[in-house]
Amino acid sequence: MSGTLYLIPNTLGAADPADPADHALAHIIPEQVQALTARLDYFVAENAKTARGFLKLIALRHPLAKTLQEIEIAELNVNTPAQALAGLLEPLLAGRDAGLISEAGVPAVADPGADLVRLAHERGIQVRPLVGPSSLLLAVMASGLNGQSFAFNGYLPTDAALRTKRIKELEARSRAEKQTQLLIETPYRNGAMLEALVGACQPGTLICVATDLSLPTESIRTLNGGKWKALLAAGKAPDFHKKPTVFLLLA
């Protein structure tokens, strides 16, 4: 009988391993998820080093099945060739349970783990998603924008002209379908993204900037494009440089 592939949520930001009551772990990752994670000894993760850091936090609250050195962690990231995925599932086909961990948030959403999950279904392996933080859903919840219809668009083009064109397309779609549009950016380019949104969108279009979701430094603000433009002109941009941020718009 095959093992189960558990989709294990991670925190959405850096945690402090010296603090057993760390905010991101104790208050964001449910206790039952932590306990289940602690009993596994095989994981697939984007980065083995950061995955071990996450498991070290788990170990502060729940004894691990094996030592951190004995726990097996296979890497799956954007550089993993498609033909290597089958090998990652071999322990599960032999009856061993496994955990899939993303760098942040829930696995397989804007994450290379989605390909492994699809292959697990093809191989008849049970997949169990576990409860944890999703920056996208948290952003929709807190934005005040349409939570009945929304779409995640990932990263936009880095070329300024192509990015502006894409923003205008998303705004037009939002207006036609009354649909909230979500997008993300490499954190060090957050400022350029907000300026591009404000410059391309109509003044009445609502724009939400949601930063460091679920962390003590969390910041969420929704304003129309005109008000964002005035804030930027006054030098009052959000404090979001190099911080994970979700952008949302609703025309």
Side-chain angles (χ1 to χ4, degrees):
M1 182 176 178
S2 298
T4 297
L5 179 61
Y6 292 96
L7 309 187
I8 299 171
N10 201 341
T11 62
L12 290 175
D16 180 5
D19 181 6
D22 175 78
H23 174 89
L25 188 73
H27 301 290
I28 301 302
I29 306 297
E31 283 291 327
Q32 61 270 33
V33 173
Q34 296 183 45
L36 189 151
T37 302
R39 74 171 179 79
L40 300 175
D41 61 9
Y42 173 56
F43 295 89
V44 178
E46 286 188 74
N47 181 284
K49 182 178 179 180
T50 54
R52 290 190 192 280
F54 175 67
L55 294 175
K56 186 176 180 180
L57 285 174
I58 295 288
L60 293 173
R61 305 171 66 85
H62 300 276
L64 300 180
K66 292 183 178 179
T67 67
L68 284 171
Q69 292 71 31
E70 293 173 323
I71 288 174
E72 183 181 353
I73 301 178
E75 291 193 342
L76 169 59
N77 50 52
V78 294
N79 297 315
T80 303
Q83 58 268 29
L85 295 180
L88 299 177
L89 294 178
E90 286 181 1
L92 289 98
L93 293 172
R96 194 174 174 189
D97 291 337
L100 176 64
I101 306 176
S102 179
E103 280 291 274
V106 294
V109 177
D111 174 75
D115 292 334
L116 187 70
V117 172
R118 182 171 63 251
L119 185 59
H121 285 296
E122 292 176 3
R123 300 294 171 87
I125 295 171
Q126 182 181 14
V127 176
R128 282 194 57 193
L130 303 179
V131 175
S134 164
S135 61
L136 303 179
L137 287 179
L138 290 173
V140 171
M141 290 165 59
S143 68
L145 306 186
N146 189 0
Q148 185 74 13
S149 176
F150 54 91
F152 174 54
N153 300 279
Y155 294 93
L156 300 193
T158 56
D159 177 82
L162 293 177
R163 183 175 56 211
T164 296
K165 179 175 182 290
R166 181 61 175 147
I167 290 172
K168 289 182 178 293
E169 291 172 350
L170 294 177
E171 184 184 36
R173 179 181 178 186
S174 176
R175 182 178 297 109
E177 301 183 23
K178 296 181 173 58
Q179 184 180 70
T180 300
Q181 304 297 320
L182 290 80
L183 53 106
I184 55 177
E185 181 54 280
T186 304
Y188 70 84
R189 289 202 293 258
N190 284 336
M193 175 54 69
L194 181 56
E195 290 178 358
L197 286 169
V198 170
C201 291
Q202 296 296 314
T205 292
L206 294 171
I207 300 171
C208 177
V209 177
T211 299
D212 277 351
L213 289 160
S214 81
L215 301 178
T217 52
E218 178 180 86
S219 172
I220 306 164
R221 193 166 191 186
T222 298
L223 298 169
N224 65 35
K227 290 182 178 179
W228 276 119
K229 184 176 182 178
L231 282 179
L232 293 178
K236 297 180 179 179
D239 177 21
F240 61 3
H241 184 57
K242 293 187 177 181
K243 296 180 179 180
T245 298
V246 180
F247 297 90
L248 307 88
L249 70 87
L250 180 64

mmCIF file of all heavy atoms in Angstrom, residues 205-236:
data_model
loop_
_atom_site.group_PDB
_atom_site.id
_atom_site.type_symbol
_atom_site.label_atom_id
_atom_site.label_comp_id
_atom_site.label_asym_id
_atom_site.label_seq_id
_atom_site.Cartn_x
_atom_site.Cartn_y
_atom_site.Cartn_z
ATOM 1 N N THR A 205 -9.684 52.944 -9.696
ATOM 2 C CA THR A 205 -9.418 51.517 -9.472
ATOM 3 C C THR A 205 -8.834 51.293 -8.086
ATOM 4 O O THR A 205 -7.898 51.986 -7.669
ATOM 5 C CB THR A 205 -8.446 50.990 -10.545
ATOM 6 O OG1 THR A 205 -9.110 51.008 -11.817
ATOM 7 C CG2 THR A 205 -8.008 49.560 -10.238
ATOM 8 N N LEU A 206 -9.383 50.341 -7.367
ATOM 9 C CA LEU A 206 -8.894 50.034 -6.023
ATOM 10 C C LEU A 206 -7.639 49.173 -6.105
ATOM 11 O O LEU A 206 -7.593 48.203 -6.862
ATOM 12 C CB LEU A 206 -9.974 49.313 -5.219
ATOM 13 C CG LEU A 206 -11.226 50.140 -4.888
ATOM 14 C CD1 LEU A 206 -12.301 49.258 -4.285
ATOM 15 C CD2 LEU A 206 -10.871 51.281 -3.941
ATOM 16 N N ILE A 207 -6.654 49.544 -5.327
ATOM 17 C CA ILE A 207 -5.388 48.810 -5.279
ATOM 18 C C ILE A 207 -5.076 48.488 -3.825
ATOM 19 O O ILE A 207 -5.069 49.378 -2.971
ATOM 20 C CB ILE A 207 -4.233 49.630 -5.887
ATOM 21 C CG1 ILE A 207 -4.518 49.962 -7.358
ATOM 22 C CG2 ILE A 207 -2.908 48.885 -5.741
ATOM 23 C CD1 ILE A 207 -3.547 50.952 -7.970
ATOM 24 N N CYS A 208 -4.820 47.217 -3.554
ATOM 25 C CA CYS A 208 -4.459 46.788 -2.201
ATOM 26 C C CYS A 208 -3.003 46.329 -2.200
ATOM 27 O O CYS A 208 -2.563 45.617 -3.100
ATOM 28 C CB CYS A 208 -5.365 45.653 -1.726
ATOM 29 S SG CYS A 208 -4.911 44.998 -0.089
ATOM 30 N N VAL A 209 -2.283 46.733 -1.170
ATOM 31 C CA VAL A 209 -0.899 46.308 -0.964
ATOM 32 C C VAL A 209 -0.857 45.561 0.372
ATOM 33 O O VAL A 209 -1.084 46.157 1.429
ATOM 34 C CB VAL A 209 0.063 47.512 -0.939
ATOM 35 C CG1 VAL A 209 1.488 47.053 -0.661
ATOM 36 C CG2 VAL A 209 -0.007 48.290 -2.252
ATOM 37 N N ALA A 210 -0.589 44.259 0.313
ATOM 38 C CA ALA A 210 -0.605 43.411 1.508
ATOM 39 C C ALA A 210 0.805 42.841 1.725
ATOM 40 O O ALA A 210 1.275 42.027 0.936
ATOM 41 C CB ALA A 210 -1.624 42.291 1.352
ATOM 42 N N THR A 211 1.450 43.264 2.802
ATOM 43 C CA THR A 211 2.858 42.949 3.056
ATOM 44 C C THR A 211 3.047 42.169 4.361
ATOM 45 O O THR A 211 2.362 42.430 5.352
ATOM 46 C CB THR A 211 3.671 44.261 3.127
ATOM 47 O OG1 THR A 211 3.561 44.945 1.876
ATOM 48 C CG2 THR A 211 5.133 43.995 3.433
ATOM 49 N N ASP A 212 3.980 41.214 4.345
ATOM 50 C CA ASP A 212 4.336 40.434 5.538
ATOM 51 C C ASP A 212 3.102 39.841 6.218
ATOM 52 O O ASP A 212 2.949 39.918 7.447
ATOM 53 C CB ASP A 212 5.112 41.304 6.540
ATOM 54 C CG ASP A 212 6.591 41.386 6.217
ATOM 55 O OD1 ASP A 212 7.052 40.648 5.322
ATOM 56 O OD2 ASP A 212 7.296 42.186 6.860
ATOM 57 N N LEU A 213 2.246 39.248 5.431
ATOM 58 C CA LEU A 213 1.004 38.690 5.963
ATOM 59 C C LEU A 213 1.284 37.631 7.018
ATOM 60 O O LEU A 213 2.159 36.793 6.857
ATOM 61 C CB LEU A 213 0.172 38.105 4.817
ATOM 62 C CG LEU A 213 -0.423 39.175 3.896
ATOM 63 C CD1 LEU A 213 -0.792 38.593 2.553
ATOM 64 C CD2 LEU A 213 -1.625 39.839 4.539
ATOM 65 N N SER A 214 0.537 37.699 8.107
ATOM 66 C CA SER A 214 0.592 36.795 9.261
ATOM 67 C C SER A 214 1.781 37.054 10.178
ATOM 68 O O SER A 214 1.915 36.402 11.210
ATOM 69 C CB SER A 214 0.577 35.316 8.838
ATOM 70 O OG SER A 214 1.851 34.867 8.450
ATOM 71 N N LEU A 215 2.655 37.990 9.826
ATOM 72 C CA LEU A 215 3.828 38.282 10.641
ATOM 73 C C LEU A 215 3.587 39.509 11.522
ATOM 74 O O LEU A 215 2.673 40.306 11.255
ATOM 75 C CB LEU A 215 5.034 38.518 9.735
ATOM 76 C CG LEU A 215 5.409 37.359 8.802
ATOM 77 C CD1 LEU A 215 6.587 37.757 7.926
ATOM 78 C CD2 LEU A 215 5.724 36.107 9.599
ATOM 79 N N PRO A 216 4.374 39.702 12.552
ATOM 80 C CA PRO A 216 4.188 40.879 13.418
ATOM 81 C C PRO A 216 4.307 42.198 12.671
ATOM 82 O O PRO A 216 3.752 43.211 13.090
ATOM 83 C CB PRO A 216 5.315 40.723 14.456
ATOM 84 C CG PRO A 216 5.592 39.259 14.501
ATOM 85 C CD PRO A 216 5.395 38.783 13.087
ATOM 86 N N THR A 217 5.022 42.211 11.547
ATOM 87 C CA THR A 217 5.207 43.426 10.749
ATOM 88 C C THR A 217 4.166 43.563 9.641
ATOM 89 O O THR A 217 4.335 44.373 8.720
ATOM 90 C CB THR A 217 6.613 43.424 10.120
ATOM 91 O OG1 THR A 217 6.816 42.178 9.438
ATOM 92 C CG2 THR A 217 7.682 43.591 11.184
ATOM 93 N N GLU A 218 3.084 42.812 9.728
ATOM 94 C CA GLU A 218 2.039 42.813 8.699
ATOM 95 C C GLU A 218 1.507 44.220 8.429
ATOM 96 O O GLU A 218 1.281 45.006 9.345
ATOM 97 C CB GLU A 218 0.901 41.905 9.161
ATOM 98 C CG GLU A 218 -0.284 41.847 8.215
ATOM 99 C CD GLU A 218 -1.363 40.925 8.757
ATOM 100 O OE1 GLU A 218 -2.210 41.408 9.555
ATOM 101 O OE2 GLU A 218 -1.351 39.741 8.418
ATOM 102 N N SER A 219 1.284 44.514 7.144
ATOM 103 C CA SER A 219 0.711 45.788 6.732
ATOM 104 C C SER A 219 -0.209 45.550 5.543
ATOM 105 O O SER A 219 0.212 44.941 4.550
ATOM 106 C CB SER A 219 1.820 46.771 6.342
ATOM 107 O OG SER A 219 1.278 47.952 5.768
ATOM 108 N N ILE A 220 -1.456 46.013 5.628
ATOM 109 C CA ILE A 220 -2.439 45.827 4.550
ATOM 110 C C ILE A 220 -3.169 47.149 4.356
ATOM 111 O O ILE A 220 -3.721 47.709 5.309
ATOM 112 C CB ILE A 220 -3.464 44.725 4.899
ATOM 113 C CG1 ILE A 220 -2.743 43.422 5.267
ATOM 114 C CG2 ILE A 220 -4.425 44.502 3.730
ATOM 115 C CD1 ILE A 220 -3.624 42.421 5.973
ATOM 116 N N ARG A 221 -3.172 47.638 3.131
ATOM 117 C CA ARG A 221 -3.849 48.907 2.872
ATOM 118 C C ARG A 221 -4.478 48.893 1.493
ATOM 119 O O ARG A 221 -3.839 48.539 0.508
ATOM 120 C CB ARG A 221 -2.866 50.077 2.984
ATOM 121 C CG ARG A 221 -3.563 51.429 3.036
ATOM 122 C CD ARG A 221 -2.618 52.518 3.493
ATOM 123 N NE ARG A 221 -3.356 53.745 3.788
ATOM 124 C CZ ARG A 221 -2.787 54.900 4.089
ATOM 125 N NH1 ARG A 221 -1.462 54.980 4.135
ATOM 126 N NH2 ARG A 221 -3.518 55.975 4.340
ATOM 127 N N THR A 222 -5.765 49.309 1.427
ATOM 128 C CA THR A 222 -6.500 49.410 0.166
ATOM 129 C C THR A 222 -6.916 50.854 -0.054
ATOM 130 O O THR A 222 -7.589 51.450 0.788
ATOM 131 C CB THR A 222 -7.742 48.513 0.173
ATOM 132 O OG1 THR A 222 -7.344 47.145 0.307
ATOM 133 C CG2 THR A 222 -8.536 48.669 -1.118
ATOM 134 N N LEU A 223 -6.505 51.416 -1.185
ATOM 135 C CA LEU A 223 -6.864 52.776 -1.585
ATOM 136 C C LEU A 223 -7.115 52.783 -3.087
ATOM 137 O O LEU A 223 -6.677 51.867 -3.801
ATOM 138 C CB LEU A 223 -5.726 53.758 -1.281
ATOM 139 C CG LEU A 223 -5.305 53.942 0.187
ATOM 140 C CD1 LEU A 223 -4.005 54.744 0.243
ATOM 141 C CD2 LEU A 223 -6.396 54.629 0.978
ATOM 142 N N ASN A 224 -7.799 53.814 -3.574
ATOM 143 C CA ASN A 224 -7.924 53.895 -5.030
ATOM 144 C C ASN A 224 -6.636 54.444 -5.628
ATOM 145 O O ASN A 224 -5.761 54.966 -4.920
ATOM 146 C CB ASN A 224 -9.155 54.715 -5.444
ATOM 147 C CG ASN A 224 -9.066 56.180 -5.046
ATOM 148 O OD1 ASN A 224 -7.995 56.779 -5.058
ATOM 149 N ND2 ASN A 224 -10.202 56.768 -4.695
ATOM 150 N N GLY A 225 -6.506 54.308 -6.933
ATOM 151 C CA GLY A 225 -5.276 54.701 -7.593
ATOM 152 C C GLY A 225 -4.915 56.157 -7.381
ATOM 153 O O GLY A 225 -3.735 56.498 -7.245
ATOM 154 N N GLY A 226 -5.928 57.039 -7.337
ATOM 155 C CA GLY A 226 -5.677 58.457 -7.129
ATOM 156 C C GLY A 226 -5.042 58.740 -5.782
ATOM 157 O O GLY A 226 -4.112 59.553 -5.671
ATOM 158 N N LYS A 227 -5.525 58.063 -4.739
ATOM 159 C CA LYS A 227 -4.975 58.282 -3.397
ATOM 160 C C LYS A 227 -3.571 57.684 -3.277
ATOM 161 O O LYS A 227 -2.700 58.263 -2.618
ATOM 162 C CB LYS A 227 -5.912 57.692 -2.353
ATOM 163 C CG LYS A 227 -7.219 58.461 -2.226
ATOM 164 C CD LYS A 227 -8.124 57.887 -1.142
ATOM 165 C CE LYS A 227 -9.403 58.711 -1.017
ATOM 166 N NZ LYS A 227 -10.311 58.161 0.013
ATOM 167 N N TRP A 228 -3.346 56.531 -3.919
ATOM 168 C CA TRP A 228 -1.999 55.968 -3.924
ATOM 169 C C TRP A 228 -1.036 56.923 -4.626
ATOM 170 O O TRP A 228 0.107 57.113 -4.186
ATOM 171 C CB TRP A 228 -1.983 54.608 -4.622
ATOM 172 C CG TRP A 228 -2.361 53.437 -3.766
ATOM 173 C CD1 TRP A 228 -3.394 52.583 -3.947
ATOM 174 C CD2 TRP A 228 -1.670 52.971 -2.588
ATOM 175 N NE1 TRP A 228 -3.415 51.614 -2.966
ATOM 176 C CE2 TRP A 228 -2.365 51.821 -2.123
ATOM 177 C CE3 TRP A 228 -0.545 53.408 -1.891
ATOM 178 C CZ2 TRP A 228 -1.965 51.121 -0.990
ATOM 179 C CZ3 TRP A 228 -0.144 52.710 -0.760
ATOM 180 C CH2 TRP A 228 -0.847 51.586 -0.319
ATOM 181 N N LYS A 229 -1.486 57.523 -5.724
ATOM 182 C CA LYS A 229 -0.636 58.457 -6.475
ATOM 183 C C LYS A 229 -0.231 59.635 -5.611
ATOM 184 O O LYS A 229 0.943 60.061 -5.610
ATOM 185 C CB LYS A 229 -1.370 58.938 -7.730
ATOM 186 C CG LYS A 229 -0.526 59.843 -8.627
ATOM 187 C CD LYS A 229 -1.283 60.201 -9.902
ATOM 188 C CE LYS A 229 -0.407 61.056 -10.810
ATOM 189 N NZ LYS A 229 -1.113 61.390 -12.087
ATOM 190 N N ALA A 230 -1.183 60.163 -4.825
ATOM 191 C CA ALA A 230 -0.890 61.292 -3.944
ATOM 192 C C ALA A 230 0.107 60.902 -2.855
ATOM 193 O O ALA A 230 1.018 61.668 -2.522
ATOM 194 C CB ALA A 230 -2.183 61.810 -3.319
ATOM 195 N N LEU A 231 -0.048 59.694 -2.309
ATOM 196 C CA LEU A 231 0.878 59.230 -1.275
ATOM 197 C C LEU A 231 2.286 59.074 -1.823
ATOM 198 O O LEU A 231 3.266 59.475 -1.188
ATOM 199 C CB LEU A 231 0.399 57.896 -0.690
ATOM 200 C CG LEU A 231 -0.745 57.946 0.326
ATOM 201 C CD1 LEU A 231 -1.093 56.524 0.777
ATOM 202 C CD2 LEU A 231 -0.364 58.789 1.537
ATOM 203 N N LEU A 232 2.386 58.494 -3.013
ATOM 204 C CA LEU A 232 3.701 58.312 -3.615
ATOM 205 C C LEU A 232 4.349 59.659 -3.930
ATOM 206 O O LEU A 232 5.563 59.841 -3.735
ATOM 207 C CB LEU A 232 3.592 57.469 -4.885
ATOM 208 C CG LEU A 232 3.172 55.997 -4.700
ATOM 209 C CD1 LEU A 232 3.064 55.302 -6.047
ATOM 210 C CD2 LEU A 232 4.155 55.264 -3.798
ATOM 211 N N ALA A 233 3.552 60.601 -4.391
ATOM 212 C CA ALA A 233 4.081 61.931 -4.698
ATOM 213 C C ALA A 233 4.577 62.633 -3.439
ATOM 214 O O ALA A 233 5.516 63.437 -3.489
ATOM 215 C CB ALA A 233 3.007 62.779 -5.377
ATOM 216 N N ALA A 234 3.951 62.316 -2.302
ATOM 217 C CA ALA A 234 4.353 62.912 -1.032
ATOM 218 C C ALA A 234 5.482 62.139 -0.353
ATOM 219 O O ALA A 234 5.878 62.466 0.770
ATOM 220 C CB ALA A 234 3.141 62.984 -0.093
ATOM 221 N N GLY A 235 5.988 61.115 -1.041
ATOM 222 C CA GLY A 235 7.076 60.319 -0.477
ATOM 223 C C GLY A 235 6.641 59.406 0.644
ATOM 224 O O GLY A 235 7.444 59.054 1.521
ATOM 225 N N LYS A 236 5.380 59.009 0.629
ATOM 226 C CA LYS A 236 4.841 58.164 1.694
ATOM 227 C C LYS A 236 4.507 56.759 1.180
ATOM 228 O O LYS A 236 3.430 56.229 1.416
ATOM 229 C CB LYS A 236 3.603 58.807 2.300
ATOM 230 C CG LYS A 236 3.882 60.148 2.978
ATOM 231 C CD LYS A 236 2.619 60.750 3.577
ATOM 232 C CE LYS A 236 2.928 62.070 4.274
ATOM 233 N NZ LYS A 236 1.694 62.684 4.852
#
